[in-house]
Amino acid sequence: MLDFKKIISKLGISIVLLFMVVGMSFTSDFFLSTNNILNILLQVSVICIISVGMTYVILTGGIDLSVGSIVALSAVSLGIFIHSGLDWVGENASELSVLFVVIFSILGAILVGAICGYVNGFIIVHCKVTSFITTLGMMGIARGLALTFSDGKTIYNFPDTLRFFGNGQLYISEGISIPIPVIIALFVVVISYYILTQTIFGRQIYALGGNREAVRLSGINVNKLEIKAYVMNGALAAIGAVILVGRLNAAQPIAGNGYELEAIAATVIGGTSLIGGVGSVISTSMGALIMGVLQNGLTLLNVTSYLQRLIIGLVIILAVFLDQVRRGEISTNQLKRLFFRE
């Protein structure tokens, strides 16, 4: 027989997204237009990639408050690498030379993000500093480095090759095209889903969040495993930075401000447990879409950005509360006492 309770539990986040889309479509005739749907997907792409990285970390039972600052540092590093490379090859450089400069600069920026993640992981596992405090410190360090390296100024003017990653389109047919950032985000989600569900590393990540001591006793190096999760998180934040720079044609030292809040929100709304061991990158991507639909709908309703942040904060609290109810940490009797006075 079909287990409807289990099916609803699996499809719950999709059902929420469907109801939100239907609801928003009634508030604005423009909401379901092709241009607006593509705009939502484009806006969500960067946060989706960063949220997937956050999923790796939260599955281990940790958290990363520094991803927004890592985005800024990676973006500034990318800008510096590209302009330094272009100066080196000269003004009359061939398109192939420029392409190599862009590729190596992107790899360099991803390396910067991965190093930040490694530092976070190393301090957490070897210095025994909690992930909250460690990443809070890295938030300030990475942002400070971004401002220092750029002298507090935005770096402009990048080659078309780089801008393609942020503004490029894959043409499917006449009048239909998919933004390149959306394709990159989909690729990241699919690859991460495979890693977490079909590889030994992925299964160990889930096990680490579920029962750290059991993983340690089974002979797995839990310290190395946890560091890898933070490295993945930092590298994916840097990939998000590459797309952001390509879209804006600018590397800003203030980029990524508040991204940590949105990434955590998307991950938690998607059903990833903050205590670790439970979650899916597919659900995380759904959570990111819910955030995008919510923000887009509120914008169409002329709700100010200040109120939008307030609403997002309330949604995060509600998501965590419902997750606790789902996992049985809040009993039926506790719910009755919460909502009904005896």
Side-chain angles (χ1 to χ4, degrees):
M1 293 180 64
L2 292 175
D3 189 341
F4 288 103
K5 184 176 179 181
K6 185 175 182 180
I7 292 173
I8 292 173
S9 177
K10 291 289 185 183
L11 297 178
I13 189 67
S14 302
I15 294 173
V16 170
L17 178 59
L18 177 61
F19 273 108
M20 286 191 66
V21 170
V22 173
M24 291 297 181
S25 66
F26 285 112
T27 64
S28 173
D29 295 334
F30 179 71
F31 181 80
L32 284 180
S33 66
T34 302
N35 287 338
N36 191 55
I37 295 299
L38 288 175
N39 179 57
I40 292 173
L41 294 175
L42 182 61
Q43 295 294 331
V44 162
S45 58
V46 172
I47 290 299
C48 180
I49 292 171
I50 298 172
S51 300
V52 168
M54 186 69 73
T55 303
Y56 282 92
V57 168
I58 294 182
L59 282 175
T60 68
I63 199 165
D64 192 342
L65 302 177
S66 66
V67 287
S69 297
I70 292 175
V71 167
L73 179 57
S74 300
V76 168
S77 299
L78 176 62
I80 292 173
F81 292 155
I82 286 181
H83 282 290
S84 298
L86 292 177
D87 290 341
W88 183 68
V89 297
E91 295 182 0
N92 299 320
S94 64
E95 291 184 4
L96 183 60
S97 298
V98 173
L99 177 62
F100 276 116
V101 168
V102 170
I103 291 174
F104 282 108
S105 297
I106 289 174
L107 293 175
I110 294 174
L111 179 61
V112 168
I115 289 172
C116 290
Y118 178 83
V119 172
N120 278 335
F122 183 89
I123 293 174
I124 290 167
V125 304
H126 292 294
C127 300
K128 307 302 179 184
V129 181
T130 62
S131 60
F132 182 90
I133 298 300
T134 299
T135 58
L136 184 63
M138 180 56 74
M139 177 195 291
I141 293 170
R143 184 73 65 181
L145 288 173
L147 290 165
T148 300
F149 292 156
S150 64
D151 197 25
K153 299 175 182 177
T154 300
I155 303 172
Y156 295 101
N157 299 324
F158 294 99
D160 292 338
T161 309
L162 179 65
R163 294 203 295 271
F164 174 78
F165 289 99
N167 294 312
Q169 302 278 338
L170 177 64
Y171 292 95
I172 305 299
S173 62
E174 186 177 353
I176 301 177
S177 60
I178 303 175
I180 294 301
V182 175
I183 296 174
I184 296 173
L186 180 62
F187 180 78
V188 167
V189 170
V190 171
I191 293 298
S192 293
Y193 177 79
Y194 176 81
I195 290 173
L196 287 172
T197 60
Q198 304 298 321
T199 67
I200 294 175
F201 169 72
R203 289 190 285 271
Q204 290 175 345
I205 287 289
Y206 277 102
L208 180 63
N211 192 328
R212 179 180 295 266
E213 187 62 19
V215 174
R216 187 186 66 81
L217 292 175
S218 66
I220 297 172
N221 188 331
V222 294
N223 290 347
K224 188 176 181 180
L225 185 63
E226 191 167 6
I227 290 175
K228 285 182 179 179
Y230 282 92
V231 169
M232 291 289 289
N233 184 41
L236 288 173
I239 292 175
V242 172
I243 295 174
L244 192 62
V245 173
R247 279 184 58 194
L248 301 177
N249 192 26
Q252 301 172 323
I254 60 170
N257 186 29
Y259 278 15
E260 58 281 337
L261 173 65
E262 295 186 35
I264 293 170
T267 306
V268 174
I269 291 171
T272 301
S273 174
L274 286 173
I275 63 174
V278 176
S280 165
V281 292
I282 302 296
S283 296
T284 292
S285 64
M286 291 289 184
L289 280 173
I290 287 176
M291 294 284 293
V293 168
L294 181 62
Q295 290 176 334
N296 181 267
L298 292 173
T299 300
L300 291 176
L301 292 173
N302 295 319
V303 177
T304 65
S305 59
Y306 312 116
L307 280 177
Q308 288 185 28
R309 295 183 72 85
L310 184 150
I311 293 170
I312 291 170
L314 291 175
V315 169
I316 295 173
I317 295 173
L318 179 62
V320 175
F321 173 75
L322 292 177
D323 178 61
Q324 289 180 318
V325 173
R326 179 177 61 85
R327 289 187 284 107
E329 293 185 7
I330 298 178
S331 65
T332 303
N333 290 332
Q334 287 175 313
L335 284 174
K336 288 180 180 179
R337 287 197 299 268
L338 179 62
F339 293 106
F340 303 100
R341 292 185 179 180
E342 297 181 355

